[in-house]
Amino acid sequence: MSADPREELVTHIPALRAFALSLTRNGSLADDMVQDTLVKGWTKIESFQTGTNMRAWLFTILRNTYYSNRRKAGREVSDVDGVMTNSLSEKPAHDGRLQMKDFRVAFEQLNDEQREALILVGASGFSYEEAAEMCGVAVGTIKSRTNRGRARLAEIMGLNESEALEMTDSATMAVVSARSA
């Protein structure tokens, strides 16, 4: 044997792979575990006592790695298609702030009647009928103010029908979008 125990690590790879295969029953996973074991053994070689059984030491590392991975896998959620991950993602806050600033500037340019109609119907969620009653005007007038307000907002903000305005605030999206009305 040489003076450096690291040189002996390579001689145990076939036995480690066979042991990993017996634990995992998966060649790819076994290879990953052997690699993890060798990396851990290499980085912690100072804890190996020269003159003792290196194979047993490496097998212990591999076994502990296997059971640690199993415990970890029990706490993890399988998300093959990325559905769960996509639902957890969050848009950068700066995008929403910039779009919100643009929206505020555009919204202030609307006339009072259009802003009032958009706030009542879009942001507050009132029906056209309820908004018309509150404003003391006909339902058709509220519908017209809302539609003209939305069209003017899109014009001021430079949006065309194929573009989607993505904001983090659902009330603001309701003001801009006719779908919520």
Side-chain angles (χ1 to χ4, degrees):
M1 289 290 159
S2 67
D4 187 4
R6 286 184 177 98
E7 293 178 16
E8 188 183 342
L9 287 174
V10 180
T11 62
H12 299 291
I13 292 174
L16 286 169
R17 186 163 193 291
F19 183 49
L21 271 170
S22 72
L23 291 173
T24 64
R25 295 183 190 99
N26 179 318
S28 177
L29 189 57
D31 290 340
D32 289 345
M33 282 186 48
V34 169
Q35 182 177 354
D36 289 348
T37 300
L38 292 171
V39 168
K40 288 176 183 177
W42 184 273
T43 58
K44 298 291 184 181
I45 197 70
E46 68 277 349
S47 67
F48 175 71
Q49 295 177 358
T50 307
T52 60
N53 187 343
M54 175 155 310
R55 181 177 287 193
W57 183 68
L58 290 171
F59 272 45
T60 301
I61 293 172
L62 189 134
R63 181 182 170 279
N64 290 343
T65 300
Y66 171 74
Y67 285 114
S68 292
N69 289 344
R70 291 280 307 244
R71 281 190 299 275
K72 188 170 118 180
R75 294 186 303 265
E76 293 178 347
V77 175
S78 178
D79 188 24
V80 178
D81 296 331
V83 173
M84 177 67 113
T85 304
N86 290 338
S87 71
L88 298 176
S89 66
E90 183 176 314
K91 285 185 55 152
H94 65 275
D95 288 349
R97 281 196 299 271
L98 293 173
Q99 289 182 336
M100 190 62 179
K101 182 180 177 202
D102 292 344
F103 173 79
R104 281 189 186 124
V105 169
F107 195 69
E108 288 300 318
Q109 293 179 36
L110 299 178
N111 66 42
D112 292 341
E113 292 83 14
Q114 289 173 346
R115 275 199 312 271
E116 181 180 46
L118 287 173
I119 289 171
L120 291 173
V121 173
S124 299
F126 290 107
S127 69
Y128 288 120
E129 292 77 15
E130 293 168 325
E133 186 178 325
M134 284 184 243
C135 294
V137 297
V139 175
T141 303
I142 288 294
K143 287 181 179 181
S144 175
R145 289 176 182 175
T146 303
N147 289 331
R148 280 186 281 130
R150 286 183 175 136
R152 181 73 178 124
L153 275 175
E155 177 187 328
I156 295 168
M157 296 179 74
L159 300 174
N160 60 39
E161 290 185 24
S162 64
E163 284 183 294
L165 180 64
E166 295 182 23
M167 295 190 173
T168 55
D169 178 13
S170 61
T172 306
M173 283 303 302
V175 168
V176 176
S177 172
R179 289 183 297 261
S180 63

